[in-house]
Amino acid sequence: MKTHKLCLKKDKEFTLLRGHPWAFAEAFKALPENIKTGDVAEVFSHKDVYIGSGYIDADSKILVRMIPVNKGETIEKAILRLVKQAVLLRKEFFSVPEKTNAYRAINGEGDGLPGLIADYYNGAISLQIYSLGLQPYIDIVIKALRDSLQNVKWIYQRNEIRLAKTASAKLVFGKNLPEKIEFLENGLKFSTDLVNGQKTGFFLDQRENRQLIRNISKGKSLLNICGYTGAFTVAAIAGGCKSSVTVDIAKPALDEAEANLRLNGYFNNNHKLVVADMYDYLAKCKEKSFDIVVLDPPSMAKNRKDHDKAIRAYKKLNLEGVKAVKEGGFLYTASCTSQVSRQDFLNAVKDGIGASGRRAVIIKETFHTYDHPTALAHSEGPYLKGILLRVY
């Protein structure tokens, strides 16, 4: 890989100086003709002052993803150091594998490694890259993960890049990857499919929020909308939930939910799985029929153009969802849409509940858990927004 000196236009350096990890192509002056994806960029201000270094993605609007490189350090050595540093941080929080042995080992920009995600599941790692510029460094990432996590048996890479037609998903370390990987979360048993599951296989970011629902579930009924693999449901039953309905439009997801219920000995007639569209189910649902309603839909927007559409969707979902909550019951509503800010989401929830005629108070606002750190200057990082409400 070549190293290029890239100079920013006037007034384009301020976010980078504050530590933001993205440098957009439009922010630079004339670019070298021989610039290639995977090359190294040394970024300078318009006054020719060195700001920092990163890797180049020539096919992305984000031309350079900045990496905190120490003085005299190469990009390769920086990546090696940052991976080990990220894993060390997780070991401080997950020191009891008998309780929890699945966590996010690398959270992209939050760990100084923009575009890189690695989730650890009891000896298996699901690896994702969101920029082709990282591909030349994957062997370094794999080595650092293996050095830092000695019990790794498998590393499976799944790329989330629209342009990466040649970068197919594959097992990059280990042999004979099991169809299912079993792991523990707060003492509960789950399994995940690294090959066919969504994203990296399981939504680890909601771990503490599932525990929150577990803590308030004793003797209560639960409706879990967009339940996916049933993790909120399993947590609620562990907390003493007497009955539940888990709804998802995807039958394969509910098959996974059934498997997770069975793993914990919770599968019985009190806990139903329903294949249905979330709006269709809520429209037919008897009003004030559940003690707890969980609304955890997938992302409502693919890009910024979908922002207003996503806001309308959240308003509608919370309008319909709150109707199903008993007097004095709880509504936990979440958004993982990065294009929707926390305040915009809160306003959509307010509008939806307000239109229903119900009254609600905020018990707790929630975020993704501590193995999903976000860079202080990266305002796009905190994507997960959650609100636990008491409804009257």
Side-chain angles (χ1 to χ4, degrees):
M1 282 80 73
K2 292 184 178 180
T3 298
H4 303 273
K5 178 181 177 179
L6 303 184
C7 293
L8 293 162
K9 298 174 183 176
K10 187 178 180 180
D11 297 332
K12 293 295 183 179
E13 64 264 28
F14 299 116
T15 58
L16 296 181
L17 289 170
R18 287 194 292 267
H20 199 286
W22 297 346
F24 290 85
E26 62 188 20
F28 291 98
K29 297 178 183 177
L31 299 174
E33 291 183 3
N34 61 340
I35 197 168
K36 291 182 180 179
T37 294
D39 285 350
V40 176
E42 292 182 344
V43 179
F44 289 76
S45 73
H46 74 285
K47 292 184 177 181
D48 205 34
V49 176
Y50 175 73
I51 293 176
S53 299
Y55 68 86
I56 291 170
D57 188 341
D59 296 313
S60 172
K61 291 182 179 179
I62 305 172
L63 181 67
V64 182
R65 286 171 167 82
M66 306 295 287
I67 290 178
V69 178
N70 292 333
K71 187 176 181 180
E73 189 179 43
T74 64
I75 286 280
E76 290 83 356
K77 287 185 178 180
I79 290 173
L80 193 67
R81 170 178 56 83
L82 290 163
V83 170
K84 293 181 177 181
Q85 183 177 294
V87 173
L88 185 63
L89 174 63
R90 275 58 175 191
K91 287 182 176 179
E92 294 189 34
F93 290 106
F94 300 99
S95 58
V96 186
E98 295 81 8
K99 182 180 179 182
T100 298
N101 57 13
Y103 49 83
R104 175 150 293 181
I106 301 172
N107 193 47
E109 287 79 356
D111 286 302
L113 293 160
L116 180 64
I117 299 294
D119 283 352
Y120 173 82
Y121 298 98
N122 189 25
I125 291 176
S126 180
L127 190 66
Q128 289 185 62
I129 63 171
Y130 287 79
S131 167
L132 279 177
L134 264 179
Q135 190 61 47
Y137 306 98
I138 283 298
D139 287 345
I140 296 170
V141 172
I142 292 169
K143 181 183 185 306
L145 286 169
R146 291 180 60 196
D147 289 347
S148 305
L149 293 161
Q150 287 78 19
N151 65 336
V152 173
K153 298 178 182 177
W154 307 280
I155 300 179
Y156 189 82
Q157 184 179 344
R158 295 174 58 176
N159 296 339
E160 297 292 329
I161 311 162
R162 294 175 188 173
L163 295 173
K165 296 179 181 178
T166 59
S168 58
K170 61 182 178 180
L171 189 66
V172 292
F173 173 72
K175 296 180 180 179
N176 303 318
L177 175 68
E179 183 179 346
K180 304 288 184 184
I181 301 292
E182 291 190 10
F183 62 93
L184 296 172
E185 177 183 283
N186 289 322
L188 300 174
K189 298 176 183 178
F190 294 96
S191 69
T192 188
D193 183 339
L194 300 192
V195 177
N196 300 306
Q198 290 187 40
K199 297 291 184 179
T200 62
F202 192 81
F203 295 119
L204 296 168
D205 51 4
Q206 289 276 26
R207 182 189 306 104
E208 299 308 309
N209 301 329
R210 287 189 281 267
Q211 186 66 19
L212 177 63
I213 296 301
R214 181 177 182 174
N215 292 341
I216 61 171
S217 291
K218 188 174 182 179
K220 295 184 174 66
S221 57
L222 168 79
L223 173 60
N224 184 7
I225 294 292
C226 298
Y228 188 41
T229 57
F232 270 106
T233 304
V234 171
I237 299 172
C241 171
K242 64 181 181 180
S243 64
S244 69
V245 178
T246 303
V247 179
D248 201 282
I249 198 169
K251 176 65 165 55
L254 291 183
D255 290 341
E256 295 291 321
E258 179 179 334
N260 286 326
L261 288 169
R262 289 186 183 277
L263 271 177
N264 293 278
Y266 295 157
F267 187 69
N268 58 54
N269 292 333
N270 292 328
H271 304 291
K272 304 182 186 306
L273 304 171
V274 178
V275 179
D277 171 80
M278 57 185 179
Y279 295 120
D280 291 345
Y281 184 89
L282 289 170
K284 298 173 184 176
C285 187
K286 182 181 177 181
E287 292 191 9
K288 299 182 179 181
S289 53
F290 290 92
D291 296 301
I292 303 171
V293 173
V294 172
L295 305 175
D296 186 24
S299 177
M300 297 286 199
K302 293 182 179 180
N303 50 55
R304 291 183 181 179
K305 294 179 181 179
D306 293 334
H307 174 271
D308 291 349
K309 179 181 177 182
I311 294 298
R312 291 192 296 271
Y314 284 124
K315 178 180 177 181
K316 179 181 179 181
L317 181 59
N318 283 276
L319 167 62
E320 299 301 327
V322 75
K323 294 177 183 178
V325 183
K326 289 182 180 179
E327 193 81 12
F330 293 96
L331 173 68
Y332 177 74
T333 179
S335 163
C336 64
T337 306
S338 59
Q339 293 83 3
V340 172
S341 70
R342 177 169 287 271
Q343 190 58 54
D344 284 348
F345 176 62
L346 180 59
N347 289 340
V349 174
K350 285 180 185 177
D351 290 344
I353 293 177
S356 75
R358 304 292 297 274
R359 181 173 70 89
V361 296
I362 297 175
I363 302 300
K364 184 178 178 63
E365 288 195 50
T366 71
F367 303 80
H368 31 64
T369 187
Y370 36 76
D371 52 338
H372 291 62
T374 56
L376 188 60
H378 187 222
S379 58
E380 298 87 349
Y383 63 92
L384 184 61
K385 289 79 64 175
I387 312 168
L388 179 65
L389 299 154
R390 188 84 182 239
V391 180
Y392 299 98

